[in-house]
Amino acid sequence: KARRASKNIEELTSEKSRLNRDLIGSDGSDEVALLDAKLEVANWLEDIWVRALDVFSQESRVEVEVKATDTFKKLTNNPEGFSRIILNENFGLTVLDANELPVQTPTPGMMQVAAISLIDALGSMSDIEFPILFDTPGQSIDQTHRNNIIKHYWSDRPTQFVIIPSSGEFRIDEVEKEYDSLLARTWEL
């Protein structure tokens, strides 16, 4: 049965090839030449688009580094201890210490603040207004950093900011008291 099925498949493949040759002609048709030319143009346009996006992304990376560094220095409790945030060509993040050397053993809290700074920089560079949602933003950071993040994000912004803290990160009564004018609603589960 398997040999018979295999032979049938070969015969059908051969018949399909013959029909395609008859349809197109042995040297191709005008339609095929036209389609080939259109595919060549489409491939060329795709290549230009990919190159343009790459150039744009690498030029934007420099601006994102500056904005992320500014935000990071506002949020950290040790701005003098760091020189800047750098991003590799794939936007991988590294924090440099005051001597311009990569921080060798970054704490989870430092990386959380750096990630939040990067998210803020990317959001401001996008020129697209969209809500920002943070799930447990204070998980790995101390109270000073939490306060800095709240002051930075819960300022008068054109975009909606939603924070979903776990228990112990923020006290709802303290947040409502200090930021009542900026809050639309708070819930506690």
Side-chain angles (χ1 to χ4, degrees), residues 118-129:
L118 178 60
I119 290 168
D120 189 52
L122 290 169
S124 69
M125 290 287 298
S126 74
D127 288 333
I128 299 171
E129 288 188 22

Side-chain angles (χ1 to χ4, degrees), residues 130-134 137 149-150 153-154 157 159-163 183:
F130 54 89
I132 298 171
L133 291 110
F134 276 128
I149 289 169
I150 288 175
Y153 278 103
W154 286 354
R157 291 178 159 245
T159 59
Q160 183 180 26
F161 180 73
V162 178
I163 185 168
L183 297 175

Side-chain angles (χ1 to χ4, degrees), residues 98-170:
N99 298 319
E100 292 282 320
L101 298 171
V103 174
Q104 292 301 311
T105 52
T107 65
M110 184 189 83
M111 292 312 294
Q112 176 115 2
V113 172
I116 288 170
S117 301
L118 178 60
I119 290 168
D120 189 52
L122 290 169
S124 69
M125 290 287 298
S126 74
D127 288 333
I128 299 171
E129 288 188 22
F130 54 89
I132 298 171
L133 291 110
F134 276 128
D135 184 12
T136 59
Q139 182 176 5
S140 301
I141 57 178
D142 59 21
Q143 190 62 43
T144 304
H145 286 102
R146 273 188 223 129
N147 292 341
N148 291 345
I149 289 169
I150 288 175
K151 286 177 184 161
H152 179 72
Y153 278 103
W154 286 354
S155 58
D156 192 14
R157 291 178 159 245
T159 59
Q160 183 180 26
F161 180 73
V162 178
I163 185 168
I164 307 166
S166 65
S167 62
E169 282 188 276
F170 300 100

Side-chain angles (χ1 to χ4, degrees), residues 19-112:
L19 290 171
N20 280 334
R21 279 192 306 276
D22 290 346
L23 179 67
I24 295 172
S26 59
D27 60 341
S29 67
D30 291 340
E31 291 86 11
V32 170
L34 184 60
L35 284 173
D36 285 343
K38 287 180 179 181
L39 282 172
E40 188 177 331
V41 168
N43 288 334
W44 179 75
L45 288 172
E46 179 186 21
D47 186 48
I48 288 175
W49 180 254
V50 167
R51 288 184 201 182
L53 280 178
D54 188 47
V55 168
F56 174 75
S57 129
Q58 294 311 312
E59 288 174 356
S60 297
R61 182 174 52 88
V62 175
E63 290 180 57
V64 170
E65 284 179 344
V66 170
K67 288 181 183 245
T69 297
D70 290 344
T71 301
F72 182 77
K73 286 189 172 190
K74 287 178 194 172
L75 299 181
T76 186
N77 61 358
N78 183 16
E80 302 83 30
F82 303 103
S83 60
R84 62 192 174 110
I85 287 177
I86 59 170
L87 303 170
N88 66 24
E89 64 184 31
N90 295 320
F91 283 72
L93 183 143
T94 303
V95 178
L96 300 181
D97 65 17
N99 298 319
E100 292 282 320
L101 298 171
V103 174
Q104 292 301 311
T105 52
T107 65
M110 184 189 83
M111 292 312 294
Q112 176 115 2

